[in-house]
Amino acid sequence: MSFRVRVFLLVALVALGATAATVFITLRQAGNQVREAASASRETTDLIRERLREHAWRNGTWEGVADTVRVLREQTGQRIRLVDQGSEVIVDTDHFDKRASRPPGSIAMFVDPLPALIMPPGQADPRGFTLAAIDTYRTENVRAACVFRLGYHQTALAGADGILRHSVTDDTADPEMLEGCRPPRTPDYLKRNDAAQVARCADVTCLREVFRQQITDGRFAPTPLLLTVGAGDEPVSVLDAGPMLATAAVVAVLVIAGALLISRRVLSPIGTLTTAARRLAGGERGGRVPDDGRDELAELARAFNQMTDSVRAAEENQRRLIADVAHELRTPLANLRGYLEAMQDGVMEPSADLFASLHDEVILYQRIVDDLQELALAEAGALVYHRAPADLAELMETARTAHRAAADAAGVRLVVQADGPVVAEADADRIRQAVGNLVGNALRATPEGGSIFLYAGSAGDRAVLRVRDTGAGIAPEHLPLVFDRLWRADPARGRDTGGSGLGLAIVRQIIRDHGGEVSVRSTLGEGTTFALTLPMTSDLSTGENVRSASRCTAQAAQSSTSTAAGSSTSAGSPV
């Protein structure tokens, strides 16, 4: 499976998973809301039923229930409809709005105001208790209905037998009128019927059923009514997941399309980079990729272009190095061949001076070959270093001693300046080699009567070595080239005025391998200064040992009376 397909599938899977999770959570929340709405609807229906039942209990009749229904309708906003057992509509809130009755709603229940008989435990005469309860219920309801018709307020409290007893709470009630609400004596035929029904019962359950049966008479008590809430033509609050699923499908399609576009947007530059890399591997070094933008892909493209430029520059340097080496070796080989052929043909007589000249040519260009090999090893990291704490001030004194004879022959004064012992963790031989290359170049560039100053000091945690001459200096346009391989200020490249052209490149590589840096500044007609910086050692005890040894060496040097003419040692200010 290609990387493009894997990226597309990954993005699509994440996006579709997120969409599915969102749909699931939304449906769940919507379902909870529907259930909460249904629960609220049941609570509203229970409230209506209880209020209607309280009306019947308090007043002993369904008369005036329309006013109670009107109040409930205003409180709940529901359509309320009451129907008696004969299917006669008692009240319908649609009539309040002067509109035709709509079909009954789906919520229907009975409002049953009839009480349940409570038989006290251990009742001696359950039949007699039941007959008394039947008569009490009829009497209480007839009287309560009468008081209600008079317009007086009353309360109802259940007794121990479960039957409500009513009390008038209106202070304006007329006692004579209330006396008129005393119920008449129960007819004998009802009593005989009650007794006959009760007599056939042998247990409490039967007596409770007979009690309910005998009080269910519209003349003496309110009968159960059928309550319906809502209308049949009202929309049912049912969660419809179809539109949501359709929306989710559309979102999924858009997500997949977006994932495809994103994968193409991400992988198209990668494909371009892949093609360019293959062309680069095939030898085409001029290929570049678009690197516009500020994102990571643009940064990758810029890095690839930089790599391409580096490869192209490296190949150009390699070609230039080969050309420079060929140029360096062609002339001496041609000279040697010419002299040898001249001697072979008898045109030139062999002499000691001629052999000395030819020997000098061989030595010079053998040095070029040796320097090339050493530089190649250094740049490849194969040059071996033996690092140890070394006093760089002593190293500069050693360099002065090594070049004393050449300086005397050239009429140049060598001066060492030091701030005291300067200890660094370094390969002393390699650092001495680097300083020697700088001193050798300075000797070739300094005319007779000039001076070369060797300085060793420190700047913070860095050791500083400087080689300054009073020679002709280097032109500003040549300063960036001085560390290039086989570059020399003298275009004639004669052995009397120049070395191999590799000394400064070797210096830079050695110093860099030590974690240091090399720099140059020069003024035409005044001279040139090369500065080397190296990390100083952090081992104080080792540094103190090296400084002690250095002081001993310095004292031995001061006791010596043999000082070369034109050479001197100074502890003056740094160069």
Side-chain angles (χ1 to χ4, degrees):
M1 183 181 297
S2 67
F3 181 70
R4 180 190 296 271
V5 175
R6 290 200 300 270
V7 170
F8 168 73
L9 292 179
L10 177 60
V11 175
L13 180 61
V14 172
L16 290 177
T19 303
T22 302
V23 171
F24 172 76
I25 294 174
T26 303
L27 287 174
R28 185 174 180 180
Q29 292 179 345
N32 291 336
Q33 292 176 355
V34 170
R35 286 190 292 272
E36 290 175 359
S39 176
S41 178
R42 287 193 297 270
E43 292 177 358
T44 300
T45 303
D46 293 340
L47 172 65
I48 294 173
R49 182 178 61 180
E50 292 303 318
R51 291 286 183 84
L52 293 175
R53 184 182 296 170
E54 289 176 2
H55 175 90
W57 287 344
R58 183 176 60 253
N59 301 319
T61 179
W62 285 118
E63 296 176 15
V65 73
D67 294 333
T68 301
V69 170
R70 193 185 302 275
V71 173
L72 290 173
R73 188 273 182 85
E74 292 176 356
Q75 292 179 352
T76 64
Q78 297 290 335
R79 184 264 181 111
I80 302 174
R81 184 172 180 265
L82 290 174
V83 180
D84 63 10
Q85 295 179 350
S87 299
E88 180 181 354
V89 177
I90 304 301
V91 62
D92 189 345
T93 55
D94 279 351
H95 298 163
F96 299 160
D97 301 330
K98 297 181 180 180
R99 61 186 297 181
S101 297
R102 291 173 291 174
S106 59
I107 301 177
M109 63 184 66
F110 279 99
V111 181
D112 187 2
L114 301 178
L117 179 63
I118 300 176
M119 185 72 68
Q123 178 64 38
D125 185 10
R127 291 187 178 89
F129 182 84
T130 303
L131 289 174
I134 293 172
D135 186 65
T136 300
Y137 178 79
R138 289 171 180 167
T139 302
E140 284 292 328
N141 274 277
V142 170
R143 183 175 178 276
C146 177
V147 172
F148 172 74
R149 296 185 187 100
L150 293 177
Y152 296 141
H153 297 289
Q154 55 187 336
T155 60
L157 295 175
D161 53 4
I163 300 172
L164 296 172
R165 269 73 172 180
H166 298 79
S167 300
V168 178
T169 59
D170 197 334
D171 295 338
T172 62
D174 186 351
E176 293 183 358
M177 296 183 68
L178 292 176
E179 186 65 24
C181 287
R182 184 181 296 276
R185 180 176 176 274
T186 303
D188 292 338
Y189 75 93
L190 283 180
K191 290 185 177 182
R192 290 193 297 269
N193 184 42
D194 293 341
Q197 295 298 328
V198 169
R200 65 182 182 83
C201 291
D203 54 25
V204 175
T205 301
C206 178
L207 290 175
R208 288 173 178 170
E209 292 177 355
V210 169
F211 171 80
R212 181 178 179 82
Q213 177 185 348
Q214 294 305 109
I215 66 175
T216 306
D217 189 335
R219 295 173 299 170
F220 303 103
T223 58
L225 299 180
L226 177 64
L227 168 66
T228 58
V229 180
D233 57 356
E234 290 180 350
V236 180
S237 179
V238 178
L239 180 62
D240 186 6
M244 187 175 298
L245 294 178
T247 303
V250 173
V251 171
V253 172
L254 294 178
V255 164
I256 293 176
L260 181 60
L261 292 176
I262 291 175
S263 64
R264 293 184 61 184
R265 171 67 181 87
V266 171
L267 297 178
S268 178
I270 295 178
T272 303
L273 284 170
T274 302
T275 302
R278 289 172 178 170
R279 290 201 303 267
L280 180 64
E284 183 180 344
R285 303 294 187 252
R288 296 178 63 86
V289 295
D291 56 1
D292 300 333
R294 299 181 179 179
D295 56 5
E296 291 79 1
L297 292 175
E299 185 65 25
L300 176 61
R302 284 190 286 271
F304 178 84
N305 290 334
Q306 292 173 0
M307 181 191 68
T308 303
D309 295 340
S310 299
V311 172
R312 184 169 57 251
E315 289 189 349
E316 291 176 356
N317 290 336
Q318 183 180 11
R319 286 193 294 269
R320 186 167 58 250
L321 175 62
I322 294 174
D324 289 342
V325 171
H327 178 76
E328 291 288 336
L329 298 180
R330 182 183 298 112
T331 300
L333 291 177
N335 289 338
L336 288 174
R337 178 180 178 182
Y339 282 117
L340 292 174
E341 288 179 351
M343 288 187 293
Q344 184 179 13
D345 295 339
V347 177
M348 182 177 294
E349 292 293 332
S351 65
D353 293 336
L354 178 60
F355 283 116
S357 176
L358 295 179
H359 182 266
D360 290 341
E361 289 288 340
V362 172
I363 293 299
L364 175 62
Y365 292 102
Q366 182 179 357
R367 178 184 173 189
I368 293 177
V369 175
D370 293 340
D371 287 349
L372 280 173
Q373 183 180 12
E374 186 169 16
L375 181 60
L377 291 174
E379 291 181 345
L383 202 60
V384 178
Y385 294 95
H386 301 284
R387 290 180 173 85
D391 185 357
L392 301 184
E394 180 186 1
L395 186 145
M396 297 300 272
E397 180 65 32
T398 302
R400 182 185 70 84
T401 303
H403 291 82
R404 181 188 305 165
D408 291 345
V412 176
R413 187 169 64 101
L414 286 176
V415 180
V416 175
Q417 297 175 333
D419 293 340
V422 181
V423 181
E425 189 80 16
D427 186 329
D429 292 337
R430 294 296 181 185
I431 299 299
R432 190 160 44 246
Q433 177 185 358
V435 173
N437 287 350
L438 296 178
V439 174
N441 288 345
L443 286 173
R444 284 189 290 270
T446 304
E448 184 178 358
S451 299
I452 298 176
F453 298 91
L454 308 180
Y455 166 75
S458 62
D461 61 346
R462 309 286 288 183
V464 179
L465 302 179
R466 293 194 187 99
V467 177
R468 182 173 68 87
D469 63 59
T470 58
I474 303 173
E477 65 271 15
H478 292 161
L479 284 177
L481 306 175
V482 296
F483 295 106
D484 289 352
R485 291 169 292 191
L486 297 175
W487 181 88
R488 286 185 294 190
D490 180 11
R493 299 175 182 265
R495 66 170 178 262
D496 295 332
T497 59
S500 66
L502 297 170
L504 292 179
I506 294 174
V507 169
R508 180 175 61 179
Q509 192 62 46
I510 290 175
I511 299 302
R512 285 184 176 179
D513 288 346
H514 280 77
E517 292 294 334
V518 58
S519 61
V520 59
R521 67 177 187 271
S522 181
T523 303
L524 283 175
E526 296 183 6
T528 303
T529 301
F530 285 88
L532 312 178
T533 62
L534 295 169
M536 297 182 66
T537 182
S538 58
D539 190 342
L540 298 179
S541 61
T542 302
E544 183 61 31
N545 294 335
V546 173
R547 284 191 289 270
S548 299
S550 300
R551 284 194 292 269
C552 295
T553 303
Q555 293 173 359
Q558 291 177 359
S559 63
S560 176
T561 58
S562 59
T563 302
S567 300
S568 64
T569 302
S570 172
S573 60
V575 294

